[in-house]
Amino acid sequence: IEYTAVSDFLPDRNYLLIVKDTAPWTRRIVSGTYRDIYRKDLLYVVHGMSLNTPVFNYESEESAPECVYLDVTERGPSYIRNLRINRKKSSFRTVLFDIEYAVDLRMSDVEIYTEKDESVYPGPDRAMFFSDCANLLVENVRIFNTYASDTSIYTHGYGIEMNNCYNSIFRNLTATDAGWGGVWYQ
C-alpha cells in the first residue's frame, strides 16, 4: 500500500498510522457484558511507504475508517534493561509497563516477581502492556506469578498483553505460575 498520496508531508518522514473503523466489527462478551469490538490496524510508514498492510482492507460499505498519525521520524531506539521488580501483595491491579506508540523499543534482562496470595485478586492482571507499537524486541524477560486465578474468568492474568503491534520479536521469554498464560495478543 502506498500512502504518499495522503498528503504532502508523508513522503519524507516516518509515521505510525493508526486506522480505526468506527463501525463495530463484532460483539463479544467481555467481563460478563456484551461489548462492541472495533477493528484497528497499525501501519508503519517510512518515507511515504507502508512497511505493512491492514489485516483486511477497509473498502466496503460497512466500513467507516478514521486515521490518526504520529510522526516518529526523530525517535531513536529506546531501552529498558537490567531491572528486577518485586510486586508485593496488593489489592489494586498493577500494570508495571504500559507502553503506547513506541518505535524501536529494546527491552532486555527484566525480571518481575509477584508475591502469590490466593486471597488477593484485584482483577485482570498484566505485568506489561504494549499498544500501537512498531519494531519491538523483548528478550531475556522472566515473569514469576501474576495476580490471577485459574478458577475465574474475571481474575485472569497475563504476563504480557499486546494490542495492535507490528514487527514484534520475543526471545527467551519465561512465564511461570501465571494462572492463565504468558502472552495475549489482541
Side-chain angles (χ1 to χ4, degrees):
I1 296 176
E2 184 176 335
Y3 286 89
T4 53
V6 174
S7 130
D8 292 335
F9 59 84
L10 281 179
D12 61 346
R13 302 192 61 81
N14 301 341
Y15 294 91
L16 289 179
L17 180 63
I18 300 161
V19 182
K20 182 179 178 184
D21 200 340
T22 58
W25 182 40
T26 188
R27 288 182 66 89
R28 288 190 185 157
I29 296 177
V30 178
S31 297
T33 60
Y34 279 99
R35 195 172 94 183
D36 288 334
I37 304 297
Y38 295 89
R39 209 178 132 209
K40 190 167 118 177
D41 285 288
L42 174 82
L43 303 178
Y44 187 35
V45 180
V46 176
H47 301 296
M49 295 297 294
S50 178
L51 299 183
N52 58 317
T53 61
V55 174
F56 191 76
N57 71 48
Y58 288 86
E59 298 171 12
S60 72
E61 292 179 17
E62 295 81 23
S63 291
E66 290 182 347
C67 298
V68 176
Y69 65 89
L70 179 66
D71 188 338
V72 294
T73 305
E74 305 299 325
R75 291 188 183 181
S78 300
Y79 299 92
I80 299 171
R81 57 178 118 158
N82 301 323
L83 291 175
R84 182 181 177 132
I85 299 166
N86 290 310
R87 296 197 294 175
K88 299 288 184 185
K89 274 194 266 185
S90 174
S91 58
F92 298 99
R93 187 172 129 181
T94 308
V95 180
L96 299 173
F97 298 101
D98 191 345
I99 299 171
E100 296 179 293
Y101 313 114
V103 176
D104 296 323
L105 175 67
R106 308 292 183 247
M107 179 182 283
S108 63
D109 301 309
V110 174
E111 206 171 271
I112 300 168
Y113 176 79
T114 302
E115 188 174 309
K116 199 72 162 175
D117 183 349
E118 298 296 324
S119 67
V120 177
Y121 292 111
D125 185 32
R126 58 185 179 219
M128 300 178 198
F129 178 60
F130 300 101
S131 181
D132 299 311
C133 298
N135 297 341
L136 296 174
L137 174 60
V138 178
E139 57 188 349
N140 301 323
V141 171
R142 289 162 297 287
I143 300 170
F144 302 98
N145 305 331
T146 58
Y147 293 125
S149 167
D150 48 8
T151 60
S152 170
I153 62 170
Y154 303 112
T155 56
H156 59 277
Y158 296 93
I160 299 172
E161 182 179 344
M162 297 173 59
N163 183 16
N164 214 31
C165 294
Y166 163 70
N167 193 27
S168 303
I169 299 170
F170 291 88
R171 293 186 190 128
N172 197 20
L173 172 65
T174 305
T176 61
D177 203 14
W180 279 69
V183 179
W184 183 42
Y185 187 76
Q186 290 184 345

